[in-house]
């Protein structure tokens, strides 16, 4: 067959998968933003049929044959098509190794598990979730073998979220975090604590909405290609490089919560909007890994959003919107308040310093669960022990403990480390960016162009053309977590006058 | 093959079509409610691929074989399955008669035509739309032959929107409307006109939104299964009998516009929510025809919403929300104002009395266009002449004339009569309903249960199980447009003291 014909078929296949993905995303977005409350049945039927059709389309003999034909002529392919073939082959092989029956059972299980987890969390009763978690762990141990039978099961799963990452690297990474951050956290515990009480005054949602719009504008999130909505949990949805949505959740008694959700999700959104439009409607159009995605969200949230120059830039707008609440507050006070470090129970509410320790608890548990050295039944016990050990806090119940996150109910094991990796990458990117451009004088003026342009150049535009490791090489100069710890130490020693 | 297996395949096929329909609807809803402004490219690609996949699935040899196998055993089928087979066969035969190439060209043409129409309307320049309309008319003349070559082309198209309807019946219908309504409209023109100026005071959107919520509550539109959103043009979207959405458009200087949009769309929504849930995810889950659908929306909008008892019921809430604007107004004043009859240019803003004459203009033009006796080029001329003749108004430009409606740009020829038919059916339903129940004492209390229950019993629950004609038989006792004209005469003679 003509190469041109094969390439056309390659494009068509990817466009179809994009179409199915877009349909599912749209139904999901509707579900969590505007759908009437009692309408999940009909949507569930549609979504599972569409997923089935997509699966049938992709996991077909035709796909295999197309990929084989292109692989045979790999030398003639341009790098973009070559990369597409590589990625599709990887997905194809994985999917085709999972027996169809197992795959269907697993999809049904994760659908059910979300509900079960939700109810168990409400009842704060791990025992309710335990049988489902047993099954989820068993499936993932099996799937790990399908993904890569040459690796330890947890390494195979980690590799799905961050290609090239494994327990050896993560043990070293978390080991360093633990050994250097734990003493610092203790020191801070003994130091004079920062007053952040004004963050918890009454902040009307209406005004917070205006503030969100303002933050999007500062971040350069063009409203012709992005929107913001309100959902229970903030998230970002990327349809393509010209259509990205973010969501936030407003609390009337907490200004910082939505503010940093918007900046965090805005970071994901800028990544999505920055991908080369030539990759739209192909398998290269998304961010390359969870770790790199989190590096972008956490870069904007922490390195920029929780920096003094940025707060100086946006503080006048805050005082305009909340004159009473911030009457006696300076930009410096605000900066200190949103950087207050204090060990706590809930990951999503943790400060920048203690955040990685929350992730580490989940990493240790996943490693043992998938490794087969921890029984599901013992998860709460180990969870509570690790929170005591790493963060020095007592977990009062499952709701504020091992049931707080939804990830496991969705079958995600190996995802959590991405959060910590993203923060570490972000710190390295910041150091390199500072070498290339005088970003802080721009940021202080509320101008993020030099920041975003640097990230676009080194990270965004590649989409999935490059692997996570190649991005880390290009943007960070290789993975070196000591940069992250140095960054945290410097920032927090100054904040607490240590 | 076992009958059970065939029936399972029948169910699966319909569920898949439901899934594709749901995906398209969700993407459409997103587009007109929340999507960023400049994102149509990616959505368009996804939608056209999904439409192509659905077409491939349905217009396949497998579908034909399944239907043949079921047709061979029709005697063994229950009435629901038998009706499904009949309906799917009809759609299949139609689709399979259209050559695939023509079908694709037509889909592309209607996609393009929407944009062209939009721009032509903005520029108020029919010449811009003319070449596209030429092609649309030509396609529809050809399609009419595919639909039913034994009928005149326009009859074949009419039959698509209202099975059993044809030019002979419509000529008689519109002839009666014209001969009896035109003199009445003239008499009203000479009578003392109603003051409706207070409807055009300043009505803040925030308050109008609260009023919409209240109206949905009065109509019994359960928020677990329905929502309201804001769009350029109001519409109703039915996902299934448990999930229906309506939209409205707010004008700050017009209270009645959104009020009657909500009640009109609410009527469509109640129809969708009232279909037997056993028909969900099958080809029977929607309303049975455009005429019957409009009978429901226009029943609630006019027969109920523009009745004095209903206005008495909701007026206290209006006065609570708009105390200043309605200070000097009584429920009776309001009733008279929203029933003010005055020939005008725009169909969607027409009053209940003159509305059908707007439809008649379109009917006459479509009849001649599809019949081949009117050149597309002459549409504006004939349009303007007919408006002068039927309504006595002078059309100043194409924007307020033949470019005002989007229907033709979507390829809909034969749809317009449904609006007038719906009104006529609604009047007959009202007369029969009044015989069965004392609805007005309930309506005056703001209780629409007896109204909705009657419609549910006689119309809603059947979905597409019955043809439009059967519903008309059951709910109206056969089609008799004199009931509609009697209703209008009685109402408007009283209103204008004639």
């Amino acid at each position: 067959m003509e190469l041109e014909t094969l390439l056309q078929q390659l494009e068509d296949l990817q466009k179809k998968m994009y179409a199915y993905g877009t349909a599912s995303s749209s139904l999901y977005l509707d579900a969590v933003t505007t759908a009437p409350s009692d309408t999940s049945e009909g949507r569930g039927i549609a979504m599972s049929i569409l997923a089935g059709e997509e699966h049938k389309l992709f996991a077909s003999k035709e796909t295999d044959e197309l990929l084989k034909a292109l692989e045979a002529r790999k030398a003639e392919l341009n790098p973009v098509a070559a990369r597409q073939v590589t990625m599709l082959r990887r997905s194809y092989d994985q999917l085709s190794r999972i027996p169809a029956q197992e795959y269907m059972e697993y999809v049904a299980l994760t659908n059910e598990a979300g509900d079960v987890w939700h109810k168990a969390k409400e009842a704060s009763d791990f025992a309710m979730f335990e049988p489902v978690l047993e099954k989820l762990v068993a499936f993932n141990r099996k799937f790990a073998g399908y993904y890569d039978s040459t690796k330890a099961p947890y390494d195979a799963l980690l590799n799905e979220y961050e290609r090239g990452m494994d327990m050896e690297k993560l043990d070293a990474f978390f080991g360093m975090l633990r050994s250097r951050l734990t003493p610092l956290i203790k020191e801070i515990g003994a130091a004079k604590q920062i007053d952040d009480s004004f963050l918890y005054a009454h902040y009307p949602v209406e005004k917070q909405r205006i503030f969100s719009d303002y933050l999007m504008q500062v971040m350069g999130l063009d409203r012709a290609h992005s929107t913001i909505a309100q959902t229970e949990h903030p998230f970002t949805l990327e349809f393509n490089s010209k259509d990205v949505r973010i969501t936030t959740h407003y609390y009337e008694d907490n200004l910082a919560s939505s503010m940093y959700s918007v900046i965090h999700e805005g970071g994901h959104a800028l990544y999505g909007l920055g991908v080369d439009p030539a990759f739209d409607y192909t398998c290269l159009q998304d961010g390359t890994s969870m770790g790199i995605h989190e590096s972008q969200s956490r870069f904007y949230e922490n390195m920029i959003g929780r920096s003094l120059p940025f707060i100086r830039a946006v503080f006048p707008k805050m005082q305009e919107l909340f004159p009473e609440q911030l009457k006696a507050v300076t930009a410096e006070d605000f900066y200190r308040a949103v950087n207050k470090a204090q060990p706590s129970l809930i990951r999503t509410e943790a400060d920048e310093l203690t955040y990685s320790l929350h992730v580490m608890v989940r990493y240790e548990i996943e490693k043992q669960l998938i490794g087969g050295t921890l029984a599901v039944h013992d998860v709460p016990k180990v969870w509570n022990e690790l929170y005591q050990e790493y963060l020095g806090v007592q977990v009062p119940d499952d709701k504020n403990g091992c049931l707080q996150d939804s990830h496991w109910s969705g079958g995600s094991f190996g995802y959590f480390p991405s959060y910590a990796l993203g923060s570490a990458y972000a710190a390295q990117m910041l150091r390199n960016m500072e070498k290339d451009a005088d970003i802080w004088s721009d940021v202080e003026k509320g101008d993020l162009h030099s920041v975003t342009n640097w990230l676009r150049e080194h990270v965004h535009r590649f989409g999935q053309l490059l692997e996570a490791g190649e991005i880390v090489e290009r943007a960070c100069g290789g993975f070196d977590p000591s940069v992250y710890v140095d960054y945290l130490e410097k920032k927090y020693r100054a904040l607490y006058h240590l």
Side-chain angles (χ1 to χ4, degrees), chain A:
Chain A
M1 208 181 283
E2 291 285 330
L3 183 59
E4 224 169 292
T5 313
L6 293 172
L7 289 172
Q8 186 61 52
Q9 289 176 359
L10 182 68
E11 185 186 323
D12 291 348
L13 172 67
Q14 292 178 90
K15 271 206 175 136
K16 280 189 189 173
M17 294 180 66
Y18 155 79
Y20 282 111
T22 295
S24 300
S25 296
S26 178
L27 286 163
Y28 174 74
L29 188 64
D30 175 59
V32 295
T33 54
T34 55
S37 55
D38 196 10
T39 54
S40 60
E41 180 191 287
R43 195 164 37 249
I45 289 172
M47 288 176 91
S48 87
I49 288 172
L50 293 166
E53 292 293 288
E54 182 183 5
H55 184 258
K56 206 167 67 187
L57 167 79
F58 181 65
S60 67
K61 222 173 25 190
E62 289 74 22
T63 300
D64 190 33
E65 279 162 11
L66 172 64
L67 293 176
K68 274 184 185 143
L70 286 161
E71 282 158 350
R73 303 174 67 166
K74 202 137 195 180
E76 298 169 62
L77 303 181
N78 67 39
V80 172
R83 171 71 176 159
Q84 290 170 348
V85 170
T86 303
M87 287 195 57
L88 292 171
R89 166 58 67 199
R90 197 151 66 193
S91 306
Y92 180 86
D93 285 352
Q94 276 186 6
L95 259 190
S96 60
R97 272 187 232 117
I98 303 180
Q101 186 56 32
E102 266 180 48
Y103 180 78
M104 301 295 279
E105 276 172 37
Y106 183 65
V107 169
L109 175 65
T110 51
N111 278 338
E112 182 206 344
D115 270 350
V116 175
W117 165 74
H118 214 89
K119 282 175 189 141
K121 184 178 173 181
E122 270 181 12
S124 195
D125 182 5
F126 179 78
M128 285 169 65
F129 186 50
E130 193 182 320
V132 175
L133 185 57
E134 291 267 16
K135 287 187 209 160
L136 288 164
V137 168
F139 264 111
N140 272 277
R141 283 169 54 92
K142 213 190 287 178
F143 286 2
Y146 298 141
Y147 295 158
D148 190 340
S149 61
T150 69
K151 287 192 166 92
Y154 192 50
D155 277 345
L157 297 181
L158 286 169
N159 196 51
E160 287 307 295
Y161 295 103
E162 198 70 7
R163 212 150 290 281
M165 196 45 63
D166 58 25
M167 290 184 277
E168 195 185 328
K169 290 182 190 136
L170 285 175
D171 282 343
F173 171 44
F174 284 117
M176 176 194 283
L177 290 186
R178 201 185 150 194
S179 68
R180 286 185 53 191
L181 296 187
T182 317
L184 177 61
I185 290 168
K186 279 219 177 96
E187 271 189 82
I188 287 174
K192 184 168 179 287
Q193 192 47 288
I194 291 165
D195 175 22
D196 65 348
S197 56
F198 60 84
L199 292 177
Y200 306 96
H202 181 73
Y203 292 92
V205 169
E206 298 282 284
K207 291 289 180 67
Q208 288 198 54
R209 269 204 204 100
I210 299 171
F211 187 45
S212 296
D213 289 343
Y214 168 77
L215 287 171
M216 285 181 74
Q217 197 189 312
V218 170
M219 292 183 78
L221 286 165
D222 168 9
R223 301 305 280 261
H225 302 102
S226 58
T227 54
I228 183 165
Q230 211 172 328
T231 51
E232 178 66 25
H233 303 285
F235 66 89
T236 302
L237 192 61
E238 299 146 64
F239 283 107
N240 53 68
S241 78
K242 301 178 195 93
D243 188 356
V244 175
R245 324 291 176 89
I246 68 170
T247 75
T248 187
H249 187 109
Y250 297 106
Y251 298 92
E252 294 225 291
D253 58 356
N254 187 338
L255 177 59
S257 175
S258 170
M259 171 178 177
Y260 285 100
S261 286
V262 170
I263 303 174
H264 178 99
E265 303 306 333
H268 284 303
L270 285 171
Y271 189 5
L273 292 167
V275 173
D276 187 339
F279 302 161
D280 277 341
Y281 327 130
T282 76
C283 65
L284 306 185
Q285 73 165 14
D286 302 312
T288 197
S289 74
M290 293 321 307
I292 300 297
H293 237 305
E294 285 300 319
S295 80
Q296 298 309 291
S297 53
R298 296 187 69 76
F299 185 89
Y300 282 97
E301 178 190 349
N302 292 324
M303 280 68 188
I304 300 297
R306 286 194 166 87
S307 73
L308 185 55
F310 180 80
I311 286 168
R312 282 202 180 119
V314 302
F315 197 68
K317 186 71 183 179
M318 283 192 243
Q319 283 199 312
E320 180 194 321
L321 286 168
F322 310 108
E324 278 309 306
Q325 300 91 323
L326 299 176
K327 199 166 44 185
V329 179
T330 66
E332 283 68 22
D333 295 334
F334 197 92
Y335 165 70
R336 291 171 55 77
V338 296
N339 283 296
K340 178 179 176 180
Q342 195 164 44
S344 62
L345 288 166
I346 307 294
R347 176 184 63 82
T348 57
E349 294 166 13
D351 56 83
E352 191 181 357
L353 179 64
T354 60
Y355 184 88
S356 295
L357 301 182
H358 291 260
V359 173
M360 200 177 356
V361 171
R362 289 148 181 81
Y363 168 69
E364 292 296 339
I365 290 177
E366 286 188 343
K367 195 167 74 169
Q368 294 180 52
L369 273 180
I370 302 297
T373 57
L374 172 65
V376 168
H377 180 76
D378 295 329
V379 165
K381 191 175 136 277
V382 175
W383 181 285
N384 299 355
E385 285 167 7
L386 289 173
Y387 261 80
Q388 183 65 57
E389 188 183 337
Y390 295 168
L391 287 143
V393 297
Q394 186 108 33
V395 178
D397 49 31
D398 295 340
K399 186 181 167 151
N400 290 287
C402 62
L403 288 178
Q404 66 183 264
D405 288 313
S406 67
H407 302 56
W408 292 339
S409 75
S412 299
F413 297 84
Y415 183 121
F416 280 117
S418 317
Y419 293 119
L421 286 170
S423 301
Y425 297 159
Q428 289 191 262
M429 289 176 194
L430 176 65
R431 199 187 52 177
N432 288 347
M433 195 184 292
E434 286 172 336
K435 284 180 199 157
D436 291 347
D438 178 17
I439 59 160
W440 293 117
S441 66
D442 290 344
V443 171
E444 192 154 6
K445 287 179 237 140
D447 178 359
L448 301 191
H449 281 95
S450 52
V451 169
T452 303
N453 287 344
W454 193 96
L455 292 170
R456 196 156 280 193
E457 175 65 21
H458 293 82
V459 181
H460 299 176
R461 66 190 172 102
F462 299 108
Q464 299 217 42
L465 183 67
L466 303 182
E467 296 280 9
E470 294 173 278
I471 295 288
V472 170
E473 207 56 55
R474 190 177 282 265
C476 309
F479 183 44
D480 177 4
S482 71
V483 177
Y484 175 45
V485 185
D486 289 346
Y487 157 84
L488 287 175
E489 282 211 330
K490 191 175 158 211
K491 177 170 182 177
Y492 280 90
R493 290 206 171 277
L495 267 160
Y496 282 88
H497 312 293
L498 300 173

